[in-house]
Amino acid sequence: DAGVIQSPRHEVTEMGQEVTLRCKPISGHDYLFWYRQTMMRGLELLIYFNNNVPIDDSGMPEDRFSAKMPNASFSTLKIQPSEPRDSAVYFCASSPTGGLRFSEQYFGPGTRLTVT
Amino acid sequence: GEDVEQSLFLSVREGDSSVINCTYTDSSSTYLYWYKQEPGAGLQLLTYIFSNMDMKQDQRLTVLLNKKDKHLSLRIADTQTGDSAIYFCAENPSQKLVFGTGTRLLVSP
């Protein structure tokens, strides 16, 4: 398996523009997580899905952030409009359902977002 | 509440042992995890321990768990320069993981 795939790997955009980050989870994994990592805040969970349904979006910072999972193999995280304080590395992770190690998560390589 | 704490920085010499410590708050976690993050990469699962175990050894890695004190540690024997990375511990009170702040390990030759 190729692992969790994220695109783009790097994104530079101007303040006010819409940004869309993409993620393909590992095939067969039923859970998908979006994280944000910054020096100041560390690793923050933004939202997670189970079987394409959002379960907990309490970490989404503002209404400018939205996430979707239209099918089992694809998810997007959108920021509209973007602001400089959104600059961070965004990670997607997936995990399988069931079994004893149900919470073992596999991370993608991340998207480094810079908003100028 | 959920809170996982780690020291921010550890520096060792190549060949020495490294010990990274972590304290957590949720005693209902089934597993506790150690993840490694190399520069420019995502987090990678390093090892884990089941909550009813005290110790787990995996090659150069030894995980110790003190449930009474809610203390977890990761020992890396014969530390190499390639072990330089950020190490995160994590607890799982539910399907989601709660990560610590990460400990940056610097290994000097």
Side-chain angles (χ1 to χ4, degrees):
Chain A
D1 199 315
V4 176
I5 298 173
Q6 290 187 248
S7 65
R9 292 296 311 277
H10 301 274
E11 176 81 36
V12 180
T13 191
E14 291 184 348
M15 183 174 65
Q17 297 298 306
E18 178 179 294
V19 175
T20 300
L21 311 181
R22 297 173 176 80
C23 174
K24 176 178 167 53
I26 293 173
S27 177
H29 282 191
D30 297 324
Y31 284 84
L32 184 140
F33 304 80
W34 281 102
Y35 292 89
R36 177 172 69 176
Q37 186 179 37
T38 62
M39 289 292 290
M40 292 297 294
R41 294 175 175 266
L43 193 64
E44 302 173 277
L45 176 65
L46 301 178
I47 185 171
Y48 77 95
F49 295 83
N50 176 216
N51 291 324
N52 315 335
V53 176
I55 302 300
D56 183 350
D57 65 354
S58 59
M60 296 286 263
E62 300 170 35
D63 292 345
R64 298 184 297 106
F65 285 70
S66 62
K68 293 182 180 179
M69 192 163 186
N71 57 62
S73 59
F74 184 66
S75 177
T76 59
L77 178 68
K78 188 175 292 187
I79 308 172
Q80 166 64 16
S82 58
E83 297 182 4
R85 60 195 168 116
D86 301 330
S87 297
V89 181
Y90 290 82
F91 290 104
C92 176
S94 68
S95 70
T97 298
L100 292 178
R101 289 161 58 177
F102 62 90
S103 58
E104 187 171 314
Q105 295 183 19
Y106 297 81
F107 281 72
T111 296
R112 181 174 294 277
L113 173 65
T114 303
V115 183
T116 60
Chain B
E2 302 166 347
D3 196 14
V4 180
E5 295 188 354
Q6 301 177 237
S7 54
L8 291 179
F9 190 74
L10 176 65
S11 180
V12 301
R13 290 197 176 275
E14 193 173 20
D16 289 349
S17 292
S18 306
V19 179
I20 302 171
N21 294 302
C22 169
T23 57
Y24 62 97
T25 56
D26 198 305
S27 57
S28 67
S29 294
T30 308
Y31 287 92
L32 292 141
Y33 297 89
W34 283 103
Y35 279 80
K36 176 183 180 182
Q37 184 181 29
E38 296 182 347
L43 279 69
Q44 180 183 23
L45 181 65
L46 199 58
T47 187
Y48 66 94
I49 187 167
F50 192 42
S51 58
N52 70 352
M53 297 172 63
D54 297 324
M55 185 182 83
K56 178 182 178 182
Q57 187 143 6
D58 184 1
Q59 299 182 341
R60 292 190 298 121
L61 305 178
T62 303
V63 179
L64 295 178
L65 175 60
N66 181 329
K67 285 195 73 173
K68 175 176 171 290
D69 294 337
K70 295 190 179 67
H71 183 265
L72 182 73
S73 68
L74 173 69
R75 179 177 180 270
I76 306 173
D78 187 25
T79 313
Q80 303 297 306
T81 54
D83 295 324
S84 292
I86 302 175
Y87 291 80
F88 293 88
C89 64
E91 59 176 357
N92 73 317
S94 65
Q95 183 71 28
K96 65 181 184 180
L97 293 176
V98 178
F99 286 90
T101 51
T103 299
R104 184 177 295 273
L105 174 65
L106 178 63
V107 184
S108 54

